[in-house]
Amino acid sequence: MAQQAYMTDTDSGDSGPERRGTRIRRLLGRVVGGWRGDRRIWRRGLVTAVVAILLAAVMAAHSRIPNTIGNLGSLTETFLPWFGLLVPVLLVIALVRKSATALIALVLPVSVWLHLFGGLLFDKTGSGGDLTVATHNVNADNADPAGTARAVAAAGADVLALEELKASAVPTYEKALEEKYPHHAVVGTVGLWSKYPISAVRPVDIEMGWKRAMRATVTTPSGQIAVYVAHLPSVRVKLEAGFTARQRDRSAEALGAAISHEKLPRKILLGDLNGTMNDRSLTAITAQLRSPQGAVGDGFGFSWPASFPMARIDQILVTGVEPTTSWTLPATGSDHLPIAARVKVDTTDS
């Protein structure tokens, strides 16, 4: 009897994995079985299905949403990737409601979102390159400008752009960066620091009334590059006015025009554009330049706000050079995250 009891206990223990697998199958069977024979699974959840279809339509046709009322189109495009968060919510509702119609309808927004942003889910970073560039909106109210400068310089950028420079803090940034960057220029509230010679520095008029953009020639060992640094006007979301971005849009047009007249074939734009690559209002700029983050980055690369990044409004955009990798740097004392990219300037053998 003792032996029989022992064998019974042992057999029971050995069948543990089988019993767990059986429990899972039974649970799935109950879920599916609850739907089997239920004729209402096609009639339930019609509202959820309609919402899923509308969500897909908004994402697919975001460029057709007008800006005439509160710049609604640009506002939608700024946070477009986050629309995907509605999919799991609708999925839970569809499962709770036991709606086959809603589940099938969810295929549409999932497909559209993956078409728009699926490529950003994979690490596309490469190797090589002969120039590293970085940009950072340091925040005029930064309590530790020297620490911020040292933190960004530690990333090893050959060319570094800073925006929102307070005049009283400029000497602090200059002193903190002078050891690594023997060449620099500051125009208004933007500045450029470089390990290589800088020449032909001039302000760029972006129709703001004060200087928040500049252009310079950086002479690297692989050739000259026209480097633009810009801080476009801020945008606001107001209940009574919507997405107020009129001044930003005018400045984007002016900056785009200046870049289009650039004679050097290699161009790099560094700065806080207060807009994402999806925002149609930046087309004057984005139609000429490409984003290393989109081409060779890892993930979305959100840069703002630093406490919980929700959008990439800080940009590195290039043409005439080949991006090899792009990344976001750790937080500093600013409300923005710094970003960096590595590019290949000498593309003769590409």
Side-chain angles (χ1 to χ4, degrees), residues 7 51 57 70 81 132 134 150 171-172 182 189 195 204 206-207 271 281 319 330 334 340 344 346 349:
M7 292 177 63
V51 172
T132 300
R150 288 192 296 268
T172 303
T189 61
K195 294 180 179 179
V204 176
I206 55 173
E207 301 182 3
S281 296
T319 189
S334 172
K344 187 176 182 181
D346 185 1
D349 58 348

Side-chain angles (χ1 to χ4, degrees), residues 160-246:
L160 170 63
L162 300 181
E163 304 86 47
E164 207 167 297
L165 292 169
K166 184 186 287 187
S168 60
V170 169
T172 303
Y173 286 105
E174 290 175 331
K175 184 176 181 179
L177 296 171
E178 63 181 356
E179 184 177 349
K180 288 192 174 182
Y181 300 98
H183 311 278
H184 86 279
V186 175
V187 175
T189 61
V190 298
L192 184 67
W193 277 259
S194 173
K195 294 180 179 179
Y196 306 119
I198 295 176
S199 61
V201 177
R202 67 170 186 266
V204 176
D205 183 9
I206 55 173
E207 301 182 3
M208 289 192 64
W210 68 95
K211 297 172 183 176
R212 287 193 10 169
M214 63 177 286
R215 181 263 182 217
T217 297
V218 176
T219 303
T220 76
S222 300
Q224 289 187 327
I225 306 174
V227 177
Y228 287 78
V229 184
H231 182 194
L232 298 188
S234 299
V235 296
R236 297 286 185 270
V237 180
K238 300 179 180 179
L239 290 176
E240 71 278 8
F243 192 60
T244 57
R246 188 171 301 172

Side-chain angles (χ1 to χ4, degrees), residues 300-317:
F300 290 91
F302 294 147
S303 64
W304 178 89
S307 57
F308 187 81
M310 296 183 66
R312 187 180 178 88
I313 63 175
D314 301 275
Q315 304 290 351
I316 296 174
L317 304 177

Side-chain angles (χ1 to χ4, degrees), residues 24 38 57 127 130 132 138 154 202 222 239 244 275 283-285 302 326 340:
I24 294 173
D38 186 351
S127 58
D130 48 20
T132 300
V138 296
R202 67 170 186 266
S222 300
L239 290 176
T244 57
T283 301
I285 299 170
F302 294 147
S326 176

Side-chain angles (χ1 to χ4, degrees), residues 98-109:
K98 295 182 180 179
S99 170
T101 302
L103 286 175
I104 293 174
L106 277 171
V107 173
L108 288 175

